[in-house]
Amino acid sequence: MKTLGFLVDEMLFQDFEKLHDFSKIFGLQPKDVKVFSFMEVKKKLPTLQQNQINNKDFNWKGEIQNQNAKEFLERDFDVLVGLYDGKHRFLDLLVSESKAKFKVGFKDADPRLYDLLIAVSTNDLPTFTAELKKYITLLNKV
């Protein structure tokens, strides 16, 4: 594995620095770990965060109107992790559009979208990290 991407629901998880720590765990360069987040409603305050999408960035046909999101989805990640609970119409669409080689989700995610579902809660990042490392090693992705 040389590149790792995360699609994150900001309602669930905001500490993106913990996700960048995955670079140390998997022996990657920090620049090779990318995080893209979804927020249901755009904040009124200006933000410098460019790797973010919200429900207004989708048209009525479900097409993505956010250039940064399109670029993220075009990246050929070795592993993409969907960090959100259950089925989520916007994040599920992003996962389905991703060019990632291997997609990993959490227990209640749509199994048609992922190559691997790990049966832990999204709140339990340490257990998820250990399980991900175990399966990525077993599947010869590292």
Side-chain angles (χ1 to χ4, degrees):
M1 177 169 63
K2 297 197 182 352
T3 56
L4 176 63
F6 289 94
L7 280 171
V8 180
D9 183 355
E10 279 195 50
M11 294 288 285
L12 245 116
F13 194 85
Q14 294 90 27
D15 190 2
F16 299 149
E17 209 49 49
K18 284 184 181 176
L19 300 179
H20 287 287
D21 289 345
F22 275 73
S23 63
K24 297 173 196 146
I25 295 164
F26 290 103
L28 303 172
Q29 294 295 320
K31 68 176 179 57
D32 294 328
V33 177
K34 303 288 182 199
V35 179
F36 205 91
S37 65
F38 174 83
M39 179 169 276
E40 188 70 37
V41 179
K42 193 171 186 174
K43 293 178 185 174
K44 298 282 184 209
L45 300 172
T47 178
L48 294 176
Q49 185 172 351
Q50 294 188 7
N51 290 343
Q52 186 179 65
I53 193 168
N54 64 59
N55 56 347
K56 303 277 190 223
D57 290 321
F58 296 86
N59 69 14
W60 66 275
K61 295 182 196 175
E63 296 167 340
I64 300 164
Q65 306 294 311
N66 179 313
Q67 189 58 39
N68 290 333
K70 289 179 182 179
E71 289 171 13
F72 180 84
L73 298 174
E74 285 296 318
R75 285 194 59 144
D76 197 16
F77 290 107
D78 292 321
V79 177
L80 176 74
V81 176
L83 184 51
Y84 57 95
D85 278 331
K87 292 181 171 77
H88 188 290
R89 63 183 173 188
F90 297 110
L91 286 167
D92 284 350
L93 176 65
L94 293 173
V95 169
S96 71
E97 296 279 324
S98 172
K99 303 281 190 252
K101 295 175 188 144
F102 192 76
K103 299 173 185 177
V104 180
F106 285 80
K107 62 181 175 184
D108 294 326
D110 188 338
R112 298 172 297 173
L113 299 175
Y114 294 97
D115 301 303
L116 174 66
L117 292 176
I118 297 179
V120 297
S121 168
T122 51
N123 300 333
D124 191 0
L125 201 57
T127 303
F128 175 78
T129 304
E131 290 296 305
L132 180 63
K133 183 156 178 68
K134 177 174 76 176
Y135 283 110
I136 293 295
T137 304
L138 279 172
L139 295 169
N140 220 12
K141 298 282 180 192
V142 174

